[in-house]
Amino acid sequence: MVIKVENYIIEMLHITKEFPGIIANDDITLQLRKGEIHALLGENGAGKSTLMSVLFGLYQAEKGEIKKNGEVVKIDNPNDANNLGIGMVHQHFKLVEIFTVLENIILGVEPNKMGFLQKKEAREKVVSLSKQYGLHVDPDALIERISVGMQQRVEILKMLYRENEILIFDEPTAVLTPQEIDELMDTMRGFAKEGKSILFITHKLNEIMSVADRCTVLRKGKCVGTVDIKDTTKEELSRMMVGRDISFTVDKKEAAPGEVVLSVDHLTVPSGKGKKNAVEDVSFEVKAGEIVCIAGIDGNGQTELVSALTGLEKLSKGKITLCGNDITKVNIRKRSKAGMSHIPEDRHKYGLVLDYTLEDNLVLQRYWQPEFQRNGFIKQQEVRRYADKLIDKYDVRSGQGSVTIVRSMSGGNQQKAIVARELDKEHKLLVAVQPTRGLDVGAIEFIHKQLVASRDAGEAVLLISLELDEVMDVSDRILVMYEGEIVGELDPKTNTVQELGLYMSGAKRDERRENAYEE
């Protein structure tokens, strides 16, 4: 009998990595074949990013070893990883915002002759790579002025420029539009055909089923198992990930809309990128007891609309009314006190103070209330009691509980902390922008239930989502934005995803809705 010996390009054998209060990786073994797309699946905080950070040299494991092509290697830092042909696209991009695309790609490996930077040579290589792989970018554009999808292309080009053969993608689709996700999946398939080996961290089971060859599942720092995708199902993967059956449909009763909570009249918001307004003459209402979703391809004015509603950005025209009160020129704290909760699009920039503790972040919207302060002094015991309650209710996982520094938490658990804070504080209107971005299927199921519970408690919910399944399953009404205007109002019970797509692409408009709001 002939025993087949597998040749793995990368082997992570019995890896253990500990942080204060938590074993992030507990005796994990992961083996990557040459030319395969290997998915790494697990709940928020399961240890996926930590394991990949060990492989990339950002962390050193307490136990275990790493082999490349059967030889033991030592990876003390990312430079060692790059020298071994290992590259990584991080969940939160590692780019210098005031540098150009080209400068970011060559940073650290700048071509030079006698100490002089050879930018022309670098530009030619970057342009050639971008054409070869369909990753079209403007080498001279500043990072701070390009879309998130474009920034991800820059991160991928950084790996290609360094000629990496092992590519790590950490939650690569968490910030992309459906169209950009399809493009990335095609790009990854192309890399695999060329013989590059890919490790792909994701929560999205559809993506794993469509693009991966094998999948390793982690749960609470331990390896549950590795399966061939052709031999498994979404349901089986979700059971491996969370240890129970997950419902992929949102269970909700018929909405019973009440009084108007949010009224937006002829809102116009200027664009910082050109002469055309980002939001053009938009009007709509959200009533108590309903979930209204703003749908659209990313970059069609949703971000600027939310910024104007929440006070992050000034509008040039229009009126915003909350519970009958004009809040058009009211500051952010007063909007919050008037009954507005906000789950922001950018959790790092607008949702959290990353170097504060988890408990301090959980009372950011309430610390001045008598419950948490007396004569200007914080009641730390009350803050901790409240934080512990939210951490338990929303299953926010962290190494040291309420005293954990938020920066050290996984992206998904940072998101859960924001959702917990905004849903628990007293509010009449919840503005939820991509509330399930970066969350695992168990957490998504929980958050959807919380949104429906908010609606059923008589609150108004304005949901902004790029996830078509979420748009169709959670909302009671859908407003479609295209080039800064609302071009359609759809009923998810009677309209199809295909019809929604026509409105999102600008191929269809609902003239009746526009006429209904004409004064």
Side-chain angles (χ1 to χ4, degrees):
M1 186 174 78
V2 178
I3 299 174
K4 185 184 175 187
V5 178
E6 283 272 22
N7 291 318
Y8 295 108
I9 190 167
I10 286 289
E11 295 176 86
M12 302 185 76
L13 304 172
H14 307 290
I15 300 295
T16 296
K17 177 61 191 169
E18 300 179 21
F19 294 106
I22 192 169
I23 301 175
N25 296 147
D26 189 354
D27 192 29
I28 292 176
T29 291
L30 173 70
Q31 294 167 309
L32 176 67
R33 296 170 182 155
K34 182 172 176 59
E36 83 164 331
I37 300 176
H38 193 122
L40 194 56
L41 178 67
E43 292 180 280
N44 301 120
K48 308 179 299 297
S49 294
T50 299
L51 186 66
M52 291 301 96
S53 294
V54 169
L55 179 57
F56 193 58
L58 292 168
Y59 298 140
Q60 274 67 52
E62 278 75 33
K63 297 176 187 172
E65 65 181 10
I66 299 172
K67 290 182 179 180
K68 185 184 178 195
N69 293 322
E71 300 287 327
V72 175
V73 294
K74 189 161 174 50
I75 306 176
D76 289 328
N77 54 57
N79 286 333
D80 289 345
N82 271 308
N83 291 336
L84 289 165
I86 301 170
M88 184 169 181
V89 175
H90 301 266
Q91 183 177 2
H92 299 109
F93 303 145
K94 308 292 184 185
L95 299 170
V96 182
E97 291 204 339
I98 59 170
F99 280 14
T100 65
V101 165
L102 178 63
E103 289 164 346
N104 270 276
I105 290 170
I106 66 175
L107 190 61
V109 288
E110 298 90 343
N112 70 86
K113 284 181 185 172
M114 300 177 67
F116 291 95
L117 181 62
Q118 303 297 305
K119 264 195 177 182
K120 185 181 177 186
E121 178 187 316
R123 173 190 292 275
E124 287 171 358
K125 184 174 177 181
V126 168
V127 170
S128 173
L129 286 169
S130 68
K131 284 180 181 174
Q132 181 182 344
Y133 292 100
L135 298 166
H136 302 295
V137 294
D138 176 2
D140 300 313
L142 291 175
I143 293 296
E144 64 186 358
R145 292 187 182 161
I146 63 176
S147 70
V148 172
M150 281 290 177
Q151 289 179 27
Q152 187 176 74
R153 291 183 186 185
V154 176
E155 286 281 20
I156 295 170
L157 283 166
K158 277 168 64 177
M159 293 194 296
L160 297 173
Y161 186 85
R162 288 158 179 74
E163 298 177 4
N164 296 140
E165 57 179 334
I166 296 135
L167 313 180
I168 305 168
F169 290 86
D170 187 357
E171 295 284 356
T173 64
V175 293
L176 300 184
T177 65
Q179 289 79 5
E180 288 170 332
I181 291 171
D182 290 340
E183 288 171 12
L184 178 63
M185 297 293 112
D186 287 340
T187 301
M188 288 169 68
R189 290 186 191 101
F191 288 156
K193 281 179 185 172
E194 279 189 7
K196 295 184 188 294
S197 307
I198 296 172
L199 284 160
F200 171 40
I201 300 175
T202 183
H203 296 302
K204 297 179 180 178
L205 298 174
N206 287 335
E207 291 169 10
I208 292 176
M209 298 305 292
S210 75
V211 81
D213 300 302
R214 291 191 300 150
C215 178
T216 295
V217 183
L218 305 186
R219 192 195 310 160
K220 295 183 178 177
K222 294 180 183 288
C223 181
V224 178
T226 299
V227 295
D228 285 317
I229 295 304
K230 66 179 186 297
D231 299 328
T232 192
T233 63
K234 276 199 322 182
E235 289 72 21
E236 179 58 31
L237 287 174
S238 68
R239 270 194 297 275
M240 289 176 71
M241 178 167 61
V242 299
R244 62 182 175 85
D245 288 331
I246 294 290
S247 172
F248 291 98
T249 58
V250 179
D251 184 26
K252 61 188 176 87
K253 63 185 182 185
E254 195 75 23
E259 297 290 318
V260 173
V261 172
L262 175 70
S263 177
V264 177
D265 295 311
H266 301 289
L267 191 72
T268 297
V269 182
S271 171
K273 297 175 183 175
K275 292 181 179 179
K276 194 176 188 300
N277 289 321
V279 179
E280 187 69 63
D281 197 33
V282 163
S283 298
F284 64 91
E285 294 176 341
V286 186
K287 296 177 180 177
E290 72 169 347
I291 300 173
V292 175
C293 181
I294 304 281
I297 297 167
D298 196 25
N300 276 275
Q302 303 97 310
T303 297
E304 292 84 357
L305 173 64
V306 170
S307 294
L309 294 179
T310 55
L312 290 167
E313 198 167 310
K314 290 182 179 177
L315 52 145
S316 57
K317 195 179 81 174
K319 182 180 178 183
I320 307 167
T321 307
L322 179 64
C323 300
N325 300 312
D326 186 351
I327 61 163
T328 310
K329 296 182 180 178
V330 165
N331 64 31
I332 294 171
R333 179 182 280 199
K334 286 180 180 174
R335 291 182 200 219
S336 176
K337 284 184 170 181
M340 182 184 291
S341 279
H342 176 210
I343 299 168
E345 182 177 14
D346 188 332
R347 57 178 167 248
H348 282 186
K349 198 169 184 180
Y350 298 116
L352 299 162
V353 182
L354 292 172
D355 292 315
Y356 278 15
T357 61
L358 178 53
E359 63 186 10
D360 287 343
N361 272 281
L362 288 172
V363 295
L364 275 179
Q365 299 276 31
R366 302 183 59 184
Y367 66 87
W368 59 80
Q369 294 176 353
E371 182 183 348
F372 301 116
Q373 64 87 26
R374 181 184 290 122
N375 299 325
F377 291 93
I378 299 290
K379 299 179 186 175
Q380 205 60 50
Q381 221 171 356
E382 293 303 319
V383 169
R384 185 153 303 167
R385 189 178 292 122
Y386 175 70
D388 288 342
K389 182 188 83 172
L390 290 192
I391 289 167
D392 181 60
K393 181 179 177 182
Y394 289 85
D395 190 26
V396 184
R397 298 181 190 178
S398 58
Q400 296 170 283
S402 56
V403 297
T404 304
I405 299 299
V406 165
R407 187 183 293 279
S408 70
M409 292 165 52
S410 72
N413 280 294
Q414 291 173 350
Q415 183 75 359
K416 284 199 269 188
I418 296 169
V419 170
R421 181 186 69 213
E422 298 301 319
L423 283 176
D424 198 73
K425 87 178 190 60
E426 194 174 325
H427 61 278
K428 298 290 185 185
L429 170 71
L430 172 66
V431 180
V433 189
Q434 299 280 57
T436 58
R437 175 178 278 174
L439 298 186
D440 60 66
V441 287
I444 289 170
E445 179 189 50
F446 178 77
I447 297 305
H448 285 168
K449 284 180 178 176
Q450 296 302 311
L451 294 177
V452 173
S454 290
R455 179 201 78 165
D456 293 345
E459 294 155 10
V461 180
L462 180 64
L463 172 67
I464 292 84
S465 179
L466 300 175
E467 302 285 344
L468 295 186
D469 288 344
E470 185 169 69
V471 171
M472 297 300 287
D473 291 348
V474 179
S475 53
D476 300 308
R477 282 194 294 132
I478 302 169
L479 303 176
V480 186
M481 281 195 82
Y482 176 72
E483 293 189 346
E485 300 178 51
I486 291 181
V487 295
E489 180 171 333
L490 308 181
D491 182 342
K493 295 192 294 295
T494 57
N495 292 101
T496 64
V497 172
Q498 289 74 19
E499 192 166 4
L500 174 60
L502 289 174
Y503 282 96
M504 288 170 63
S505 65
K508 197 171 182 182
R509 295 175 74 97
D510 187 351
E511 304 296 339
R512 292 170 305 169
R513 189 183 185 282
E514 293 176 14
N515 295 335
Y517 275 93
E518 287 295 329
E519 293 294 337

